[in-house]
């Protein structure tokens, strides 16, 4: 999934309309979420950046709970949030109930803003916004996701091997699925989109179609 299809923005709804998009790392949910937000004219929040920012501050020696409580917009704009080290740190802090609790109110407030909102993460449809008007679960095989992540890392200059990236993906999947607090799983009423064999254009089109049906009710 390397390109983004162009869509004609729709007029934003006047009241709250929440789209929850969950899924594992490198499944394409971020790309799909940004395209969906642009199409419908909604605000977008990559909730994974919240945890990456907390993880980055933890790597600098700060207590994760304190980092979550004191998180600022500037913390989510630092240049190293996409590094493998920060990704692993984010996954570690994400299992901490005190960190998740500190970030819940921010996410829920964003989700119910006027004009509509798209949130992507791992527990949006199950924990953060269980009453979201539309829910998607974007997934792909571990091998496909590892290949995508490997290509991204190599393009950014990282010195990694395909085997290392696949091991990291599987380790993170297990940690996200097995954590006691807000484990990664699709909401019962989420529409699943498997992007393993889909182009960006096809995945975005499938997401927009599913959401449009929910909007029309």
């Amino acid at each position: 999934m390397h390109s983004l299809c162009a869509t004609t923005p729709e007029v934003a709804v006047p009241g709250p309309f929440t789209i929850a998009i969950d899924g594992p790392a490198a499944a394409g949910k971020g790309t799909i979420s940004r395209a969906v937000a642009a199409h419908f004219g909604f605000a977008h929040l990559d909730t994974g950046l919240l945890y990456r920012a907390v993880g980055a501050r933890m790597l600098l020696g700060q207590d994760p709970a304190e980092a979550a409580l004191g998180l600022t917009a500037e913390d989510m704009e630092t240049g190293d949030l996409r590094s493998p080290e920060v990704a692993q740190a984010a996954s570690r802090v994400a299992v901490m109930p005190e960190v998740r609790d500190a970030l819940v109110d921010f996410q829920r407030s964003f989700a119910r803003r006027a004009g509509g909102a798209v949130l992507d993460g791992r527990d949006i449809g199950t924990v953060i916004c269980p009453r979201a008007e539309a829910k998607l679960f974007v997934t792909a095989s571990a091998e496909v996701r590892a290949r995508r992540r490997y290509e991204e890392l190599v393009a950014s200059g990282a010195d990694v091997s395909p085997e290392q990236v696949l091991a990291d993906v599987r380790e993170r999947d297990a940690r996200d699925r097995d954590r006691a607090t807000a484990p990664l799983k699709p909401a019962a009423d989420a529409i699943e989109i498997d992007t393993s064999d889909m182009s960006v254009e096809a995945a975005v089109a499938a997401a927009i179609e599913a959401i449009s049906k929910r909007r029309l009710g």
Side-chain angles (χ1 to χ4, degrees), residues 57-193:
R57 291 177 68 168
M58 181 185 73
L59 292 176
L60 294 175
Q62 188 168 2
D63 175 76
E66 292 181 1
L69 287 170
L71 206 62
T72 67
E74 288 73 21
D75 289 318
M76 289 181 282
E77 296 172 358
T78 57
D80 63 346
L81 294 186
R82 298 295 181 183
S83 71
E85 294 78 14
V86 171
Q88 288 296 324
S91 187
R92 292 198 297 273
V93 301
V95 306
M96 301 176 183
E98 61 272 25
V99 171
R100 305 195 73 84
D101 289 345
L103 298 176
V104 163
D105 287 345
F106 177 87
Q107 295 173 77
R108 287 179 174 165
S109 176
F110 185 96
R112 300 314 289 170
R113 62 196 294 150
V118 179
L119 289 82
D120 70 80
R122 284 170 172 72
D123 64 345
I124 308 304
T126 55
V127 176
I128 303 300
C129 303
R131 296 184 180 180
E133 284 78 7
K135 301 177 187 177
L136 302 179
F137 189 83
V138 179
T139 189
S141 70
E143 291 76 15
V144 168
R145 292 186 288 115
R147 187 184 71 240
R148 293 172 182 167
R149 182 53 55 86
Y150 172 74
E151 291 172 353
E152 291 174 356
L153 292 171
V154 169
S156 68
D159 181 16
V160 294
S161 69
E163 295 78 15
Q164 176 188 348
V165 176
L166 178 57
D168 287 345
V169 165
R170 287 174 170 163
E171 177 185 348
R172 186 172 182 182
D173 284 352
R175 187 159 54 231
D176 288 344
R177 284 195 311 265
D178 299 338
R179 65 193 182 203
T181 302
L184 172 65
K185 63 180 181 179
D189 55 345
I191 297 170
E192 185 168 318
I193 298 176

